[in-house]
Amino acid sequence: MSEALRPQPRTSNDTLPHWQGLRDHRLRLQRCAGCGTFRHYPRPLCPQCHCFDVEWIDAAGDAQVHSWTVLHHAFHPAFRSLVPCVMVTATLREGVRLLAPFKGDVRHLVPGLALRVGFEDISAELTLPVLVPA
Amino acid sequence: MSLSGRAALTGVGETAYSKSSDKSVLRLSLEASLTAIGDAGLRPQEIDGLIPYPGMGVVAEDLIVNLGLDEVKFSAMTPLGGASPVAAVQCASAAVSSGLCRHVLIPVARNLAAGGRISDRLRQMPQFNTVAEFELPMGAFAPAQLYAPMARLHMERYGTRPEHFAEIAISTRRNASLRGDGMMTAPLTLEEYLASRMIADPFRLHDCSLESSGAAAVVVSRKECARDLPHPVISVLGVAEGHPDSPTSITQRKDLLEIGLVKAAPRAFGMAGLTTADIHVAEIYDCFTYVVLRQLEALGFCRPGEGGDFVASGAIRLEGRLPINTHGGLLSQAHMVGMNHIVELVRQLRGSAGPTQVAGATVGLVTGYGDLGDGTLAILARE
C-alpha cells in the first residue's frame, strides 16, 4: 500500500530516455555529441561546449562509494516501511554520480568501495537503480 | 563603485516564536513588519522598497495594500532558501545606494500549518526540481537526508566526530537558555545529544534545526537617511552571494564539501576591507550542526577540515574568541530562515542583546545557507 503512495518522477522531454532506460534495466546517461562529456542528471545543454545534441549511453554499471547516509526518519508516508535504509552516493565509471539505495551491509561501507548498479522494479511504470557490493 | 558603507540596518522586529500559530502568514509578516518599521523610527508610508520572502505566498502587493504604501518604487525577491534573507540585504543595499529608493522592508514569516513544514519545500522551491525528479522517488529529499552524505564525508576525510557536532548544538542551546525567549531553552547535555534518535545518520535529532511559526523583519535604509533615526547606525560594510557548482544537486557536486560561501566570503571581506580577526560576533546559519562547522571553515576562521577542532576548543561559546548564534539560532531559538540571525546581529551591534550580549561588539557577520549550498554573507558594523 505504501508503494502506491510513492512520489512519481515528473519527467520531461529532456529526461524521458533516462526513465525509459531504467524500465529496460539500463542506466542511460547523456553524453554530449559535441565534446563527449558525460553529464547527469539529464539536462538540455552541455555546460562545457554548449551543444544541445546528446547520445544516450548505457552506463558500464560499475561504481565506487563516495559517501552515504542511513535514513531513519521517513519524512514522507510512502517511505515509512522502507526505513532504515542505506543511501549511497556513488561515483560511476563514467565520472558522474548516482544516489541510490544500497543493498548490503552498511558496516562494510568505506569511500572507494567497489559497487555494481542493479535495478528494482517498483511498479509497472517505475524502475529505480540500486547499488550492490561488486 | 563599492556598496561598502552605503546602506544601514535601521529597524528590526520579531513576533514570538512557537510551533503553531492561528495567525496567517500574511498577518505574522505584517506584525513583524510594523515592529521593524517602528523600531527604525519610520512611519509605514516611508517604506518605498519591498523584498518579501518567496514561497510562502506573501507578495509585495499584499504588503502595499495592508500597510497602505503608496510610494513603493522597488520590489524584488531573492529565492535562495535559507540564504534568502542575507541575499535580500544585499539586494536592498544595492537598491538604496543606487538611489532607486530609501527604505526597504524585508519580512519573513512562516506558519507550519500553512506550508511552513520542511516537507513542503520541494513544491515551493524550483531549485529542488532536479531533486524532486531523481532523488525524491528514492526516498531522499529532506535537507537532513541530502546533507548527511556531506557530513559523513567530512567525518571520513578529516576525522570529525559526533562530539564536534554536539558542541555546536550544546553551545547554541546554552545561549538560548540564557536568553530564555526561544522555543528550546532547557540545557542540553552531551549524553542527551548522543542519545537522541537518528534522523539521517550522522544527523541525530539535536543536529537538526527546529520548525517554527512566527515572523521576523528588518528595514535596510540609505546611509544618509539612517543618521536621523533613533538607533546607532549599523552599516553594511560587506555583503556577497555565492553559488557552488552543481547548485541543483548535491549528489553531482564535484567536491561534496564545497559550498557557495567559499566564493562569497572573500568577496564580502574584501568589500569590507576586514579579516576574520576583526569579527567580534557571528550569527551562522545553523539548519544543521554540520553546516555551521563547514561554514566556519569557509569563512576562514579555521582551515578546511579543522572545524571540529575549532569548535572543540570552546571558540564558539559566549566567552570564546568567536561567540556564535547568541540568540539560540535555528537549532534552539526558532527557524525563521535566518532572518532571526540578522535581527540578532543588529541587536548585538547596538549593545541591546541582553543576557548574551558580547561585550564591546561593534563588528559582526551573519551568514545564510540556501538549500542546496547557496551561500550569503553580510558584515555589519556600528558606526
Side-chain angles (χ1 to χ4, degrees):
Chain A
M1 177 181 156
S2 62
E3 298 299 333
L5 296 168
R6 186 189 279 249
Q8 300 295 303
R10 200 183 306 164
T11 61
S12 72
N13 288 343
D14 297 323
T15 66
L16 201 55
H18 172 75
W19 291 107
Q20 288 169 334
L22 287 176
R23 280 205 286 273
D24 301 333
H25 289 201
R26 298 156 68 189
L27 181 64
R28 300 178 81 192
L29 303 173
Q30 285 181 317
R31 189 172 68 188
C32 175
C35 69
T37 305
F38 278 98
R39 64 180 188 259
H40 198 52
Y41 298 113
R43 53 186 177 272
L45 188 61
C46 174
Q48 307 292 330
C49 73
H50 304 124
C51 171
F52 281 104
D53 298 331
V54 294
E55 304 168 280
W56 289 90
I57 306 292
D58 287 359
D62 48 343
Q64 289 191 338
V65 172
H66 186 69
S67 191
W68 67 92
T69 178
V70 186
L71 307 182
H72 291 267
H73 184 80
F75 288 97
H76 187 292
F79 301 110
R80 269 181 207 145
S81 62
L82 299 179
V83 293
C85 155
V86 184
M87 294 292 286
V88 164
T89 307
T91 306
L92 299 174
R93 177 197 290 205
E94 290 78 10
V96 299
R97 299 245 178 75
L98 178 69
L99 179 74
F102 174 66
K103 305 293 177 182
D105 189 336
V106 66
R107 290 170 299 183
H108 297 162
L109 288 176
V110 286
L113 180 77
L115 303 171
R116 289 286 306 165
V117 175
F119 300 90
E120 184 174 32
D121 295 320
I122 306 296
S123 66
E125 293 78 35
L126 180 64
T127 298
L128 293 175
V130 296
L131 289 159
V132 297
Chain B
M1 181 195 80
S2 169
L3 272 186
S4 185
R6 297 167 60 92
L9 275 287
T10 51
V12 299
E14 289 174 296
T15 65
Y17 298 125
S18 57
K19 191 90 186 165
S20 64
S21 169
D22 55 8
K23 294 173 181 171
S24 70
V25 173
L26 179 55
R27 164 81 188 246
L28 290 164
S29 281
L30 294 166
E31 288 186 9
S33 294
L34 283 174
T35 308
I37 294 165
D39 181 62
L42 297 171
R43 290 175 295 109
Q45 290 74 17
E46 292 177 271
I47 296 296
D48 57 0
L50 297 168
I51 308 182
Y53 179 67
M56 298 294 170
V58 174
V59 293
E61 289 79 356
D62 294 318
L63 300 170
I64 290 169
V65 75
N66 281 280
L67 292 170
L69 310 179
D70 51 13
E71 281 297 333
V72 170
K73 306 179 186 83
F74 172 81
S75 68
M77 280 197 184
T78 52
L80 281 76
S84 297
V86 176
V89 169
Q90 172 178 260
C91 185
S93 298
V96 296
S97 59
S98 72
L100 281 176
C101 57
R102 302 189 334 153
H103 302 289
V104 179
L105 172 68
I106 313 172
V108 170
R110 308 175 76 180
N111 186 323
L112 298 185
R117 295 302 303 264
I118 193 67
S119 46
D120 297 324
R121 268 177 110 72
L122 228 50
R123 289 187 282 106
Q124 292 161 347
M125 300 180 56
Q127 54 267 61
F128 267 108
N129 286 352
T130 298
V131 167
E133 179 169 355
F134 295 98
E135 301 186 351
L136 170 62
M138 309 267 191
F141 62 96
Q145 300 172 319
L146 303 178
Y147 304 172
M150 304 193 288
R152 170 58 57 192
L153 186 61
H154 203 279
M155 296 169 84
E156 293 291 320
R157 192 181 288 177
Y158 298 119
T160 308
R161 299 192 308 275
E163 288 76 7
H164 295 139
F165 301 143
E167 168 58 20
I168 294 166
I170 291 166
S171 61
T172 303
R173 180 65 61 82
R174 252 176 110 235
N175 295 339
S177 301
L178 286 167
R179 285 287 274 268
D181 59 354
M183 289 175 65
M184 300 289 276
T185 55
L188 176 66
T189 66
L190 179 60
E191 293 67 36
E192 286 168 328
Y193 168 88
L194 291 171
S196 67
R197 71 188 167 96
M198 277 291 181
I199 302 297
D201 188 306
F203 292 144
R204 294 168 165 82
L205 183 65
H206 288 304
D207 290 302
C208 305
S209 49
L210 303 167
E211 292 191 278
S212 312
S213 299
V218 299
V219 177
V220 173
S221 303
R222 197 184 303 168
K223 175 70 88 49
E224 303 86 79
C225 308
R227 296 216 169 85
D228 308 327
L229 301 178
H231 292 289
V233 175
I234 308 299
S235 265
V236 180
L237 289 191
V239 64
E241 155 182 340
H243 300 262
D245 81 88
S246 185
T248 59
S249 161
I250 292 167
T251 301
Q252 303 298 339
R253 192 160 298 152
K254 203 169 298 165
D255 181 351
L256 226 53
L257 303 188
E258 197 215 322
I259 53 176
L261 189 59
V262 170
K263 295 176 184 169
R267 289 205 292 268
F269 277 108
M271 184 189 294
L274 297 174
T275 71
T276 53
D278 299 308
I279 302 298
H280 302 147
V281 58
E283 313 301 346
I284 310 282
Y285 196 86
D286 55 335
C287 47
F288 296 89
T289 53
Y290 162 76
V291 173
V292 174
L293 186 143
R294 181 68 193 108
Q295 286 178 95
L296 290 168
E297 298 173 350
L299 287 163
F301 289 105
C302 56
R303 284 183 297 205
E306 294 180 350
D309 289 339
F310 182 78
V311 300
S313 73
I316 62 171
R317 297 219 165 191
L318 198 52
E319 61 280 8
R321 74 175 166 95
L322 182 73
I324 72 164
N325 297 347
T326 45
H327 54 325
L330 308 179
L331 290 167
S332 286
Q333 187 201 33
H335 196 319
M336 211 37 61
V337 205
M339 184 55 88
N340 48 331
H341 293 52
I342 301 175
V343 169
E344 173 65 7
L345 182 58
V346 171
R347 289 195 177 129
Q348 284 285 343
L349 300 179
R350 286 177 179 174
S352 63
T356 60
Q357 177 65 47
V358 174
T362 55
V363 183
L365 65 77
V366 55
T367 71
Y369 177 88
D371 290 71
L372 296 169
D374 294 340
T376 47
L377 168 61
I379 298 169
L380 310 183
R382 175 178 177 152
E383 285 212 331

